[in-house]
Amino acid sequence: MSPLTPNPMPLSTPYPDSPRRAPLGTRAKPLPLIIDCDPGHDDAMAIAIAIARPELNLLGVTVVAGNSILPNTFLNTRRVLALLGAHDMPVAAGAAVPLVRPLFTAAYVHGESGLEGADLPEPAGRVHEAGAVDLIATLVAASPEPVVLAPLGPLTNIALFIQAHPELISKVSHISWMGGAVGEGNVTSAAEFNVYVDPDAAAVVFASGIPITMVGLDATHLAKMGAAERARLEATGNRAGRVFSDLLGFFEVFYQERYGWDYCAIHDAVAVAHLVDPELVAVVHAAVDIELADLQRGRTVVDWFPDRLRDRGRAASVDVAVGVDSARFADLLVDAIGQFA
Ligand code: BDR
Ligand code: CA
């Protein structure tokens, strides 16, 4: 096992060493994958990994409101697909608002459009007019192998899919979701953005019985990209490298102002990279509950102590990410972006 950078916001108790349970794609047997996203700078980089890596077979991309309103996140997704040459990728717009609550967006992180900082091409992709839930259902039903879902935003589309298609739940082998946190949140002290926006959807997804890896802030704050990585992207000499370097430059401003860091955290890319690299992410097996009450809205309550779980009649059924090999992550992402024209 490679050395994993310790959690920057450590808890006072050590994590038990738990083996990963997410399926792993291989070149010989690529994982069928659907991404649900709200681009978002880090969403865009996650899509690049999914398209570049031969261990993954990206079947389609669905879009949710989150970092910005749905028309923006949909347009951004299709522009990213164009940048990455994925002109025929099935793509569909989904929920414009969370299940119950009003939409809360992150223009303060990603800019007004949700993907500020670079000159992106005209939109591409094969638009599935029947919408995100229908596209997920169509792709899952048609796949000979069980499909992995990688939601990289609020879980609204995934919850709606689960509610509309209980007959397809058994054909989803795993959900690798960027969201949540063991420790401190990034919208409130209690909650990370994706779960804060739609905690009711998260509760539906976590109750579905589908195996989940929760890739939260404790891990993703270690997925660092800064000036050195920007220079490496520029050095690729390709358009994608330049565009992603520009996007990183914009994204870094928030991290500088908010945390005083000279790098930004590429959260969403970790949830996808985990599906191709078994050495990248450390996990702990835990039970996760989603808090819906106002004060701690969206808190992901993570518990891995066997005696407590036994007393509560709960199982440690979720893989919760608690560490990332930072250098390995940066190499993987730069290499993926370097593969495009
Ligand atoms: C998550 O929130 C969004 O702003 C990012 O795209 C990521 O999915 C991080 O909290
Ligand atoms: Ca996102």
Side-chain angles (χ1 to χ4, degrees):
M1 197 70 180
S2 51
L4 292 160
T5 320
N7 178 6
M9 296 183 263
L11 303 182
S12 55
T13 43
Y15 300 110
D17 192 14
S18 307
R20 64 170 285 140
R21 293 178 289 192
L24 194 63
T26 63
R27 282 169 184 266
K29 204 160 185 289
L31 271 187
L33 175 70
I34 299 171
I35 283 182
D36 183 75
C37 59
D38 62 336
H41 296 69
D42 49 337
D43 302 77
M45 295 180 209
I47 294 171
I49 292 174
I51 293 175
R53 293 294 297 227
E55 299 92 340
L56 298 175
N57 174 17
L58 185 62
L59 304 176
V61 180
T62 57
V63 186
V64 68
N67 284 323
S68 189
I69 56 173
L70 186 67
N72 288 349
T73 54
F74 190 51
L75 181 63
N76 294 342
T77 301
R78 296 186 57 213
R79 286 189 157 152
V80 169
L81 292 177
L83 176 71
L84 301 175
H87 298 280
D88 288 331
M89 183 65 65
V91 57
V97 288
L99 290 188
V100 179
R101 301 163 203 248
L103 179 63
F104 173 85
T105 60
Y108 61 99
V109 182
H110 298 272
E112 207 48 51
S113 74
L115 194 54
E116 298 281 349
D119 192 15
L120 289 158
E122 289 305 304
R126 189 149 40 90
V127 176
H128 186 83
E129 299 292 351
V133 169
D134 192 76
L135 180 57
I136 296 171
T138 304
L139 294 172
V140 169
S143 174
E145 303 286 335
V147 173
V148 175
L149 304 181
L152 311 174
L155 286 165
T156 322
N157 286 342
I158 308 302
L160 291 169
F161 162 72
I162 287 167
Q163 288 173 336
H165 293 281
E167 79 283 3
L168 292 176
I169 287 179
S170 63
K171 284 204 70 188
V172 177
S173 58
H174 204 86
I175 290 177
S176 184
W177 173 53
M178 191 284 130
V182 181
E184 193 175 337
N186 61 358
V187 178
T188 68
S189 63
E192 179 279 333
F193 178 81
N194 289 337
V195 63
Y196 179 82
V197 173
D198 200 344
D200 307 281
V204 170
V205 173
F206 276 75
S208 70
I210 300 172
I212 295 173
T213 297
M214 183 180 103
V215 181
L217 299 178
D218 314 271
T220 65
H221 276 167
L222 299 167
K224 304 174 183 178
M225 297 281 277
E229 287 71 32
R230 265 191 284 121
R232 289 171 68 189
L233 289 173
E234 299 276 349
T236 61
N238 62 23
R239 181 177 186 189
R242 278 195 308 280
V243 168
F244 279 110
S245 169
D246 289 347
L247 289 173
L248 272 178
F250 182 93
F251 205 29
E252 273 172 46
V253 173
F254 168 77
Y255 288 92
Q256 175 62 48
E257 287 174 355
R258 179 74 183 178
Y259 297 105
W261 297 347
D262 58 0
Y263 58 87
C264 46
I266 313 298
H267 309 277
D268 294 340
V270 181
V272 172
H274 182 51
L275 302 171
V276 303
D277 185 347
E279 305 289 306
L280 190 68
V281 177
V283 301
V284 60
H285 297 172
V288 177
D289 290 290
I290 312 291
E291 179 59 72
L292 301 177
D294 281 348
L295 179 61
Q296 302 215 56
R297 162 183 168 176
R299 175 150 199 88
T300 43
V301 181
V302 177
D303 194 357
W304 58 81
F305 277 94
D307 54 341
R308 277 203 305 245
L309 294 176
R310 199 176 44 242
D311 292 349
R312 294 169 58 210
R314 297 296 308 275
S317 60
V318 179
D319 280 17
V320 176
V322 288
V324 168
D325 183 330
S326 303
R328 197 177 173 100
F329 172 80
D331 286 350
L332 188 153
L333 183 51
V334 170
D335 176 72
I337 293 171
Q339 292 182 34
F340 296 96

